[in-house]
Amino acid sequence: MATSGQAGGRYKKLINDPFAVVDEALEGFASAHADLVRLAAPRVVVRRTPAPDKVGFVVGGGSGHEPAFAGYVGLGMADAAACGNVFASPPPDVVLEAIRAASSGRGVVTGYGNYAGDVLNFSLAVELAAAEGIEVREIRVSDDVASAPRNEAEKRRGIAGDIIVFKCVGAAAERGDPLDEVERIARKANAATRSMGVALSACEVPGSGRLTFELPADEIEIGMGVHGEPGIRRGPLEPADEVARALVQTIVADIEGGVAGRPIALLVNGLGATAYLDQYIVYRAARRLLEAAGATVARSYVGEFITSLEMSGASVTVTVLDEELTALLDAPARTPRMVVW
Amino acid sequence: MATSGQAGGRYKKLINDPFAVVDEALEGFASAHADLVRLAAPRVVVRRTPAPDKVGFVVGGGSGHEPAFAGYVGLGMADAAACGNVFASPPPDVVLEAIRAASSGRGVVTGYGNYAGDVLNFSLAVELAAAEGIEVREIRVSDDVASAPRNEAEKRRGIAGDIIVFKCVGAAAERGDPLDEVERIARKANAATRSMGVALSACEVPGSGRLTFELPADEIEIGMGVHGEPGIRRGPLEPADEVARALVQTIVADIEGGVAGRPIALLVNGLGATAYLDQYIVYRAARRLLEAAGATVARSYVGEFITSLEMSGASVTVTVLDEELTALLDAPARTPRMVVW
Amino acid sequence: MNGASLRACVLAAADALEASRDELCRLDAVAGDGDHGVTMALAARAVRQKLEESPGASGADLLALVALGVGSVGGAIGPLYATALLRAATALRGLGTSEGDPTVGEIRACAEAGAAAITGLGHARPGDKTIVDAVAPAVQALADAEATGAGVPEALEAAIAAARAGAESTTGMIATLGRASRLGERGRGSADPGAASFVVALEAAVRTYLGPVGAEPAGA
Amino acid sequence: MNGASLRACVLAAADALEASRDELCRLDAVAGDGDHGVTMALAARAVRQKLEESPGASGADLLALVALGVGSVGGAIGPLYATALLRAATALRGLGTSEGDPTVGEIRACAEAGAAAITGLGHARPGDKTIVDAVAPAVQALADAEATGAGVPEALEAAIAAARAGAESTTGMIATLGRASRLGERGRGSADPGAASFVVALEAAVRTYLGPVGAEPAGA
Ligand SMILES: Nc1ncnc2c1ncn2[C@@H]1O[C@H](COP(=O)(O)OP(=O)(O)O)[C@@H](O)[C@H]1O
Ligand SMILES: Nc1ncnc2c1ncn2[C@@H]1O[C@H](COP(=O)(O)OP(=O)(O)O)[C@@H](O)[C@H]1O
Ligand SMILES: [Mg+2]
Ligand SMILES: [Mg+2]
Ligand SMILES: [Mg+2]
Ligand SMILES: [Mg+2]
């Protein structure tokens, strides 16, 4: 049985030392976007020009998900990003450094995907920050409906919904909202957001010498996460319309009150190797299904927002909007990988 | 020998009918970015709000290169994009429709990569437009130094340099430059721009049932074009620093007077499946080499600007800048896939 | 030439091109972008649709529709076929023989007009490893047949044989035009896809026109 | 405990983890994200660097350095090891025995403090298919050895055996915590990578401490 992977079940990569990928890429990133960001410490990306008086916003997580997370540091989004090794949460001292950089005395919010490693490391950092007198609120994005049932929604992991939540939180902080307000927005945006993804092929953590999983040549994994964590089922490779139907149906069924008559944001995220052509075909299918379910697609985002190295696949994210969230999504942002104007 | 390709030497795709990929993706694209663009005809993407009185700018080419070309329609870049089948130039009537939509009476410039098919179809369209009284100037982007020697530079094909040229031309047209001026800018930007790429794996034209080429598991193709046209040599997969060296050396050797003491724009383009991590590692290496050669990297662009479906690989583009080109690159743009603010 | 027959010939060529999709993609993958089979299959679809939309079209009008259909696929091959077929249609119209069966000379004249359009637009010469290497010998074979007074079936069979030999000869050539032109030596050893697809289309069309081997022309 | 010896034990564990990189990635690929071998190899590098930077460190100070090194890799495993080693270092410091060889009871006390830190931070219980399933039995084996008055070599061998049995038992378990927890039945049949790497590290460290089989403890 043929296995997924570029060649011989492995991927060819444009890298040097497999253990240096994160630091080399961050050096490149910081120099390419030096007008917007800089490296405050080895794994800590901060705004070139810090915002003087606002609630700080720190994002972070494992590397290998670019443009997440450093790509969202800048005006209207994050003040700092804490970057870990590939698919590994940054350690507490890196997160603490990011919190310090983001702090201008009005408190800090940290936003990250709900994974065991991130929870452990960020929580420790938050404790350390508190000991330094910095008040930090944590928001664990948990949009992946495939990762836990609705009655255990707090166990769900965070995938592409990160970007919707980060955009809203960043905009709220940027306009000067106080800490409680920014935290409220964070929880509200997270609660309004649901995602589900599908993987067509695996990726390879540099240095691991193997793919993150094996998928038969004619199968896909429905509900897979952004690290190759197994999803809810494997099935044959179906047309994009059918794949989109599986994702959208599960998402819509999870939204209390459904989507009929409601404005939504629709985000399609490519995992890395999926062509834009395919991403827009999935978007088209998802949009048709959501409109058929009575939703009004008020805002759309298509592209690679949070990837899994060179994995092939995509996810669909739906956020039920109101005026407040819509205004925050539309607020200006100028970051290396998201510009809203 | 293992061949490249996702699985069984083929790629899994999120598509429906392989012959409908372009139209389905364009439907998705136009609805996702309805605030900026609309479909004026089946394969013709135009600005939602046409610019009333300026030189028109039409870009176009085969599909499968997204975000090129429709992704660059909008304020500060193109007025219309003519989209062909996958890896096939749009036919003359589609180009003509785009020219008509872009024309506001001050003439039109068409910009496209220098490929036999595009030259044939665009030239025929330009003749048809002339018969309707629309004056059209053609700029064939020819930045790929691997595709022909320097003394036959007019035979070179166009790859990621497209984006630099399109940005400058779009900005010149937007600020109201007359037709001669816009054409001058187009030729100047093209003359100042050189690129070279490397492919690590192939892609699959939907419906073709096969990869565009076979590459052994441990080899890369240096100088490959954005459709999988063979490059100048095959070699072993080397570290990113070595690959970047091969590209940058060839590019710099091709620049009359070299880069020492000159400001340049450096663009690294991912072909589709190459992770951002890898792109930034290539950027870092290219930047170091260019700086070592005495250049000042004044502007940087990293990402997927012109892809080859799910091909793995990257290209490096260097544009020798002056104040005029720099100002045009920095001018505001608001398009579905390029926002400069 | 009989209109219903020309329509049948075109549809047969369309079917044959679709059936050759995989092989044509394979040839194009050697040195080009691997899409030629898909492009010709799309052309076949587009042509079929044009013919369905105009069920009454025949003769030169039908050729013009085929030109529009093939031309709609764009790429390098679309405008070459489109211009060639439009010029052939004009030549056919000029002959004013759309009711009866064409003579060898009439066929030759139309083919010549089409071939001239291809070289006029694409600037390829024999030996450049393009469709011209199949088209030019076929036209020459028709001219030779005309000179020796051969019948239509014989002339058309000679044209197929010449086109096929020409396409096969591209295997030893190095491309100098189009996508494959930067390959140099590495492209040698594989036939030009455009030349190959021309043989596929020509053979299917002629076989349909001539009917089962030895029978009278289908349109007679 | 002898400082040089502890250092040697740690370096042996680092070597062993690096040598197991592929196998640990393979285990993590079954149900997790396939990086555990890379993470532990990065931890080994970081620890080695910390030890090189402080050539004089020994005892509790050395354990604290190891904690910082492992912790620097982040992920789920980094903070678990870091907290465990820091607590073990504190316990060791409290014993005030850094000069002589530790007794079984002293080893048990440090191990218990470390194990408690892991469950306190990660909230995993035995049976959840985590590192706890290897750590908890090892600590229990030390306690049992202490109760029966066994010697240090015997106690440590018992700890290894118990850890290995515990790690092997995770093969039949379904993960309920961490990345693998959404896999359900499909995760069964493969050992937990964190438990497996703990056995690798423990075994290498103990073997170095005890020296060649039958020999006196290396630090003696
Ligand atoms: N200038 C030209 N003159 C004649 N034929 C050409 C020319 N350029 C390309 N061709 C023909 O087109 C064929 C390629 O067609 P196709 O693959 O459909 O187009 P594309 O190159 O756009 O992918 C070549 O095999 C060759 O026969
Ligand atoms: N809450 C937890 N308590 C104890 N151990 C855990 C917990 N979460 C994860 N682990 C351990 O961590 C291991 C995974 O480590 P690793 O692959 O390095 O981290 P990540 O999950 O961040 O990729 C698991 O096999 C398990 O033993
Ligand atoms: Mg991990
Ligand atoms: Mg093509
Ligand atoms: Mg082709
Ligand atoms: Mg892991």
Side-chain angles (χ1 to χ4, degrees), chain C residues 79-89 91 107-121 132 135 139:
Chain C
L80 292 172
Y81 268 104
T83 321
L85 289 165
L86 286 175
R87 296 283 165 77
I107 296 174
R108 192 265 309 142
C110 294
E112 220 165 61
I118 290 177
T119 47
L121 186 65
V132 168
V135 170
V139 174

PDB file of all heavy atoms in Angstrom, chain C residues 79-89 91 107-121 132 135 139:
ATOM      1  N   PRO C  79      -4.784  28.576 -29.919  1.00  0.00           N
ATOM      2  CA  PRO C  79      -4.778  29.558 -31.001  1.00  0.00           C
ATOM      3  C   PRO C  79      -4.197  29.000 -32.304  1.00  0.00           C
ATOM      4  O   PRO C  79      -4.594  29.431 -33.389  1.00  0.00           O
ATOM      5  CB  PRO C  79      -3.927  30.702 -30.447  1.00  0.00           C
ATOM      6  CG  PRO C  79      -3.167  30.132 -29.303  1.00  0.00           C
ATOM      7  CD  PRO C  79      -4.003  29.019 -28.764  1.00  0.00           C
ATOM      8  N   LEU C  80      -3.273  28.045 -32.201  1.00  0.00           N
ATOM      9  CA  LEU C  80      -2.705  27.455 -33.424  1.00  0.00           C
ATOM     10  C   LEU C  80      -3.788  26.716 -34.197  1.00  0.00           C
ATOM     11  O   LEU C  80      -3.981  26.931 -35.401  1.00  0.00           O
ATOM     12  CB  LEU C  80      -1.539  26.517 -33.077  1.00  0.00           C
ATOM     13  CG  LEU C  80      -0.283  27.201 -32.510  1.00  0.00           C
ATOM     14  CD1 LEU C  80       0.727  26.156 -32.029  1.00  0.00           C
ATOM     15  CD2 LEU C  80       0.367  28.118 -33.556  1.00  0.00           C
ATOM     16  N   TYR C  81      -4.519  25.846 -33.515  1.00  0.00           N
ATOM     17  CA  TYR C  81      -5.610  25.128 -34.175  1.00  0.00           C
ATOM     18  C   TYR C  81      -6.701  26.082 -34.634  1.00  0.00           C
ATOM     19  O   TYR C  81      -7.255  25.954 -35.721  1.00  0.00           O
ATOM     20  CB  TYR C  81      -6.231  24.089 -33.229  1.00  0.00           C
ATOM     21  CG  TYR C  81      -5.628  22.702 -33.333  1.00  0.00           C
ATOM     22  CD1 TYR C  81      -4.763  22.232 -32.370  1.00  0.00           C
ATOM     23  CD2 TYR C  81      -5.955  21.864 -34.398  1.00  0.00           C
ATOM     24  CE1 TYR C  81      -4.220  20.953 -32.441  1.00  0.00           C
ATOM     25  CE2 TYR C  81      -5.412  20.578 -34.493  1.00  0.00           C
ATOM     26  CZ  TYR C  81      -4.544  20.128 -33.513  1.00  0.00           C
ATOM     27  OH  TYR C  81      -4.015  18.872 -33.602  1.00  0.00           O
ATOM     28  N   ALA C  82      -7.020  27.041 -33.766  1.00  0.00           N
ATOM     29  CA  ALA C  82      -8.124  27.951 -34.089  1.00  0.00           C
ATOM     30  C   ALA C  82      -7.828  28.711 -35.374  1.00  0.00           C
ATOM     31  O   ALA C  82      -8.660  28.783 -36.294  1.00  0.00           O
ATOM     32  CB  ALA C  82      -8.362  28.918 -32.920  1.00  0.00           C
ATOM     33  N   THR C  83      -6.631  29.283 -35.460  1.00  0.00           N
ATOM     34  CA  THR C  83      -6.283  30.048 -36.658  1.00  0.00           C
ATOM     35  C   THR C  83      -6.222  29.141 -37.873  1.00  0.00           C
ATOM     36  O   THR C  83      -6.708  29.492 -38.964  1.00  0.00           O
ATOM     37  CB  THR C  83      -4.920  30.753 -36.452  1.00  0.00           C
ATOM     38  OG1 THR C  83      -4.852  31.228 -35.111  1.00  0.00           O
ATOM     39  CG2 THR C  83      -4.761  31.916 -37.401  1.00  0.00           C
ATOM     40  N   ALA C  84      -5.644  27.958 -37.693  1.00  0.00           N
ATOM     41  CA  ALA C  84      -5.536  27.027 -38.816  1.00  0.00           C
ATOM     42  C   ALA C  84      -6.916  26.636 -39.329  1.00  0.00           C
ATOM     43  O   ALA C  84      -7.172  26.643 -40.548  1.00  0.00           O
ATOM     44  CB  ALA C  84      -4.760  25.780 -38.368  1.00  0.00           C
ATOM     45  N   LEU C  85      -7.811  26.310 -38.432  1.00  0.00           N
ATOM     46  CA  LEU C  85      -9.141  25.858 -38.850  1.00  0.00           C
ATOM     47  C   LEU C  85      -9.945  27.000 -39.464  1.00  0.00           C
ATOM     48  O   LEU C  85     -10.714  26.793 -40.405  1.00  0.00           O
ATOM     49  CB  LEU C  85      -9.879  25.239 -37.665  1.00  0.00           C
ATOM     50  CG  LEU C  85      -9.314  23.880 -37.209  1.00  0.00           C
ATOM     51  CD1 LEU C  85      -9.843  23.492 -35.839  1.00  0.00           C
ATOM     52  CD2 LEU C  85      -9.653  22.794 -38.247  1.00  0.00           C
ATOM     53  N   LEU C  86      -9.745  28.221 -38.923  1.00  0.00           N
ATOM     54  CA  LEU C  86     -10.453  29.371 -39.520  1.00  0.00           C
ATOM     55  C   LEU C  86      -9.959  29.619 -40.945  1.00  0.00           C
ATOM     56  O   LEU C  86     -10.758  29.884 -41.850  1.00  0.00           O
ATOM     57  CB  LEU C  86     -10.252  30.633 -38.655  1.00  0.00           C
ATOM     58  CG  LEU C  86     -11.057  30.661 -37.341  1.00  0.00           C
ATOM     59  CD1 LEU C  86     -10.688  31.892 -36.523  1.00  0.00           C
ATOM     60  CD2 LEU C  86     -12.563  30.649 -37.626  1.00  0.00           C
ATOM     61  N   ARG C  87      -8.648  29.515 -41.146  1.00  0.00           N
ATOM     62  CA  ARG C  87      -8.111  29.717 -42.495  1.00  0.00           C
ATOM     63  C   ARG C  87      -8.562  28.585 -43.428  1.00  0.00           C
ATOM     64  O   ARG C  87      -8.854  28.827 -44.601  1.00  0.00           O
ATOM     65  CB  ARG C  87      -6.577  29.758 -42.455  1.00  0.00           C
ATOM     66  CG  ARG C  87      -5.997  30.912 -41.682  1.00  0.00           C
ATOM     67  CD  ARG C  87      -6.042  32.236 -42.443  1.00  0.00           C
ATOM     68  NE  ARG C  87      -5.796  33.338 -41.517  1.00  0.00           N
ATOM     69  CZ  ARG C  87      -4.579  33.665 -41.037  1.00  0.00           C
ATOM     70  NH1 ARG C  87      -3.511  33.006 -41.446  1.00  0.00           N
ATOM     71  NH2 ARG C  87      -4.447  34.647 -40.179  1.00  0.00           N
ATOM     72  N   ALA C  88      -8.597  27.381 -42.881  1.00  0.00           N
ATOM     73  CA  ALA C  88      -9.074  26.252 -43.686  1.00  0.00           C
ATOM     74  C   ALA C  88     -10.543  26.463 -44.058  1.00  0.00           C
ATOM     75  O   ALA C  88     -10.964  26.191 -45.197  1.00  0.00           O
ATOM     76  CB  ALA C  88      -8.893  24.944 -42.925  1.00  0.00           C
ATOM     77  N   ALA C  89     -11.311  26.971 -43.119  1.00  0.00           N
ATOM     78  CA  ALA C  89     -12.727  27.238 -43.385  1.00  0.00           C
ATOM     79  C   ALA C  89     -12.873  28.296 -44.469  1.00  0.00           C
ATOM     80  O   ALA C  89     -13.703  28.171 -45.385  1.00  0.00           O
ATOM     81  CB  ALA C  89     -13.420  27.693 -42.097  1.00  0.00           C
ATOM     82  N   ALA C  91     -10.731  28.917 -46.797  1.00  0.00           N
ATOM     83  CA  ALA C  91     -10.332  28.285 -48.049  1.00  0.00           C
ATOM     84  C   ALA C  91     -11.471  27.426 -48.588  1.00  0.00           C
ATOM     85  O   ALA C  91     -11.793  27.455 -49.787  1.00  0.00           O
ATOM     86  CB  ALA C  91      -9.075  27.431 -47.825  1.00  0.00           C
ATOM     87  N   ILE C 107      -8.932  19.355 -50.929  1.00  0.00           N
ATOM     88  CA  ILE C 107      -8.475  19.028 -49.564  1.00  0.00           C
ATOM     89  C   ILE C 107      -7.082  19.625 -49.334  1.00  0.00           C
ATOM     90  O   ILE C 107      -6.811  20.245 -48.304  1.00  0.00           O
ATOM     91  CB  ILE C 107      -8.439  17.488 -49.346  1.00  0.00           C
ATOM     92  CG1 ILE C 107      -9.855  16.917 -49.441  1.00  0.00           C
ATOM     93  CG2 ILE C 107      -7.796  17.144 -48.008  1.00  0.00           C
ATOM     94  CD1 ILE C 107      -9.924  15.401 -49.395  1.00  0.00           C
ATOM     95  N   ARG C 108      -6.223  19.443 -50.320  1.00  0.00           N
ATOM     96  CA  ARG C 108      -4.870  19.972 -50.231  1.00  0.00           C
ATOM     97  C   ARG C 108      -4.882  21.481 -50.014  1.00  0.00           C
ATOM     98  O   ARG C 108      -4.152  22.028 -49.178  1.00  0.00           O
ATOM     99  CB  ARG C 108      -4.080  19.603 -51.491  1.00  0.00           C
ATOM    100  CG  ARG C 108      -2.569  19.835 -51.419  1.00  0.00           C
ATOM    101  CD  ARG C 108      -2.166  21.197 -52.001  1.00  0.00           C
ATOM    102  NE  ARG C 108      -2.720  21.392 -53.324  1.00  0.00           N
ATOM    103  CZ  ARG C 108      -3.190  22.556 -53.766  1.00  0.00           C
ATOM    104  NH1 ARG C 108      -3.165  23.627 -52.994  1.00  0.00           N
ATOM    105  NH2 ARG C 108      -3.696  22.645 -54.988  1.00  0.00           N
ATOM    106  N   ALA C 109      -5.715  22.179 -50.743  1.00  0.00           N
ATOM    107  CA  ALA C 109      -5.771  23.641 -50.627  1.00  0.00           C
ATOM    108  C   ALA C 109      -6.167  24.079 -49.221  1.00  0.00           C
ATOM    109  O   ALA C 109      -5.566  24.986 -48.634  1.00  0.00           O
ATOM    110  CB  ALA C 109      -6.755  24.199 -51.653  1.00  0.00           C
ATOM    111  N   CYS C 110      -7.188  23.423 -48.681  1.00  0.00           N
ATOM    112  CA  CYS C 110      -7.630  23.774 -47.316  1.00  0.00           C
ATOM    113  C   CYS C 110      -6.521  23.459 -46.303  1.00  0.00           C
ATOM    114  O   CYS C 110      -6.252  24.244 -45.383  1.00  0.00           O
ATOM    115  CB  CYS C 110      -8.894  23.005 -46.950  1.00  0.00           C
ATOM    116  SG  CYS C 110     -10.319  23.455 -47.943  1.00  0.00           S
ATOM    117  N   ALA C 111      -5.939  22.284 -46.447  1.00  0.00           N
ATOM    118  CA  ALA C 111      -4.889  21.871 -45.509  1.00  0.00           C
ATOM    119  C   ALA C 111      -3.708  22.835 -45.576  1.00  0.00           C
ATOM    120  O   ALA C 111      -3.122  23.210 -44.554  1.00  0.00           O
ATOM    121  CB  ALA C 111      -4.431  20.444 -45.819  1.00  0.00           C
ATOM    122  N   GLU C 112      -3.367  23.233 -46.762  1.00  0.00           N
ATOM    123  CA  GLU C 112      -2.257  24.159 -46.952  1.00  0.00           C
ATOM    124  C   GLU C 112      -2.524  25.499 -46.260  1.00  0.00           C
ATOM    125  O   GLU C 112      -1.639  26.061 -45.596  1.00  0.00           O
ATOM    126  CB  GLU C 112      -2.057  24.393 -48.450  1.00  0.00           C
ATOM    127  CG  GLU C 112      -0.620  24.450 -48.882  1.00  0.00           C
ATOM    128  CD  GLU C 112      -0.531  24.324 -50.401  1.00  0.00           C
ATOM    129  OE1 GLU C 112      -1.094  25.193 -51.104  1.00  0.00           O
ATOM    130  OE2 GLU C 112       0.084  23.338 -50.874  1.00  0.00           O
ATOM    131  N   ALA C 113      -3.746  25.956 -46.402  1.00  0.00           N
ATOM    132  CA  ALA C 113      -4.111  27.229 -45.749  1.00  0.00           C
ATOM    133  C   ALA C 113      -3.974  27.101 -44.242  1.00  0.00           C
ATOM    134  O   ALA C 113      -3.454  27.988 -43.548  1.00  0.00           O
ATOM    135  CB  ALA C 113      -5.542  27.618 -46.130  1.00  0.00           C
ATOM    136  N   GLY C 114      -4.436  25.957 -43.718  1.00  0.00           N
ATOM    137  CA  GLY C 114      -4.344  25.739 -42.276  1.00  0.00           C
ATOM    138  C   GLY C 114      -2.899  25.665 -41.814  1.00  0.00           C
ATOM    139  O   GLY C 114      -2.510  26.294 -40.815  1.00  0.00           O
ATOM    140  N   ALA C 115      -2.095  24.909 -42.553  1.00  0.00           N
ATOM    141  CA  ALA C 115      -0.696  24.742 -42.176  1.00  0.00           C
ATOM    142  C   ALA C 115       0.036  26.081 -42.208  1.00  0.00           C
ATOM    143  O   ALA C 115       0.858  26.383 -41.327  1.00  0.00           O
ATOM    144  CB  ALA C 115      -0.015  23.737 -43.099  1.00  0.00           C
ATOM    145  N   ALA C 116      -0.265  26.876 -43.213  1.00  0.00           N
ATOM    146  CA  ALA C 116       0.383  28.182 -43.314  1.00  0.00           C
ATOM    147  C   ALA C 116       0.029  29.060 -42.116  1.00  0.00           C
ATOM    148  O   ALA C 116       0.856  29.834 -41.625  1.00  0.00           O
ATOM    149  CB  ALA C 116      -0.032  28.868 -44.615  1.00  0.00           C
ATOM    150  N   ALA C 117      -1.194  28.919 -41.645  1.00  0.00           N
ATOM    151  CA  ALA C 117      -1.611  29.711 -40.477  1.00  0.00           C
ATOM    152  C   ALA C 117      -0.780  29.330 -39.252  1.00  0.00           C
ATOM    153  O   ALA C 117      -0.367  30.190 -38.467  1.00  0.00           O
ATOM    154  CB  ALA C 117      -3.101  29.488 -40.202  1.00  0.00           C
ATOM    155  N   ILE C 118      -0.525  28.023 -39.110  1.00  0.00           N
ATOM    156  CA  ILE C 118       0.226  27.574 -37.932  1.00  0.00           C
ATOM    157  C   ILE C 118       1.647  28.128 -37.942  1.00  0.00           C
ATOM    158  O   ILE C 118       2.126  28.655 -36.931  1.00  0.00           O
ATOM    159  CB  ILE C 118       0.238  26.022 -37.876  1.00  0.00           C
ATOM    160  CG1 ILE C 118      -1.165  25.517 -37.528  1.00  0.00           C
ATOM    161  CG2 ILE C 118       1.269  25.519 -36.872  1.00  0.00           C
ATOM    162  CD1 ILE C 118      -1.302  24.004 -37.501  1.00  0.00           C
ATOM    163  N   THR C 119       2.305  28.036 -39.097  1.00  0.00           N
ATOM    164  CA  THR C 119       3.672  28.564 -39.132  1.00  0.00           C
ATOM    165  C   THR C 119       3.672  30.084 -39.083  1.00  0.00           C
ATOM    166  O   THR C 119       4.563  30.699 -38.491  1.00  0.00           O
ATOM    167  CB  THR C 119       4.431  28.060 -40.374  1.00  0.00           C
ATOM    168  OG1 THR C 119       3.600  28.229 -41.533  1.00  0.00           O
ATOM    169  CG2 THR C 119       4.774  26.592 -40.242  1.00  0.00           C
ATOM    170  N   GLY C 120       2.649  30.682 -39.675  1.00  0.00           N
ATOM    171  CA  GLY C 120       2.583  32.143 -39.648  1.00  0.00           C
ATOM    172  C   GLY C 120       2.434  32.680 -38.233  1.00  0.00           C
ATOM    173  O   GLY C 120       3.058  33.684 -37.857  1.00  0.00           O
ATOM    174  N   LEU C 121       1.652  31.993 -37.430  1.00  0.00           N
ATOM    175  CA  LEU C 121       1.406  32.481 -36.070  1.00  0.00           C
ATOM    176  C   LEU C 121       2.528  32.053 -35.117  1.00  0.00           C
ATOM    177  O   LEU C 121       3.019  32.855 -34.323  1.00  0.00           O
ATOM    178  CB  LEU C 121       0.065  31.935 -35.565  1.00  0.00           C
ATOM    179  CG  LEU C 121      -0.433  32.452 -34.215  1.00  0.00           C
ATOM    180  CD1 LEU C 121      -0.727  33.939 -34.280  1.00  0.00           C
ATOM    181  CD2 LEU C 121      -1.696  31.692 -33.782  1.00  0.00           C
ATOM    182  N   VAL C 132       4.169  21.261 -36.179  1.00  0.00           N
ATOM    183  CA  VAL C 132       4.531  21.507 -37.584  1.00  0.00           C
ATOM    184  C   VAL C 132       5.213  20.283 -38.203  1.00  0.00           C
ATOM    185  O   VAL C 132       5.028  19.997 -39.395  1.00  0.00           O
ATOM    186  CB  VAL C 132       5.443  22.750 -37.683  1.00  0.00           C
ATOM    187  CG1 VAL C 132       6.074  22.873 -39.070  1.00  0.00           C
ATOM    188  CG2 VAL C 132       4.655  23.998 -37.332  1.00  0.00           C
ATOM    189  N   VAL C 135       2.279  18.238 -39.295  1.00  0.00           N
ATOM    190  CA  VAL C 135       1.373  18.916 -40.233  1.00  0.00           C
ATOM    191  C   VAL C 135       2.026  19.084 -41.608  1.00  0.00           C
ATOM    192  O   VAL C 135       1.411  18.774 -42.644  1.00  0.00           O
ATOM    193  CB  VAL C 135       0.948  20.288 -39.665  1.00  0.00           C
ATOM    194  CG1 VAL C 135       0.215  21.112 -40.723  1.00  0.00           C
ATOM    195  CG2 VAL C 135       0.094  20.107 -38.419  1.00  0.00           C
ATOM    196  N   VAL C 139       0.641  17.710 -45.349  1.00  0.00           N
ATOM    197  CA  VAL C 139       0.251  18.585 -46.465  1.00  0.00           C
ATOM    198  C   VAL C 139       1.063  18.232 -47.702  1.00  0.00           C
ATOM    199  O   VAL C 139       0.538  18.181 -48.832  1.00  0.00           O
ATOM    200  CB  VAL C 139       0.453  20.065 -46.081  1.00  0.00           C
ATOM    201  CG1 VAL C 139       0.192  20.969 -47.287  1.00  0.00           C
ATOM    202  CG2 VAL C 139      -0.451  20.442 -44.916  1.00  0.00           C
TER     203      VAL C 139
END
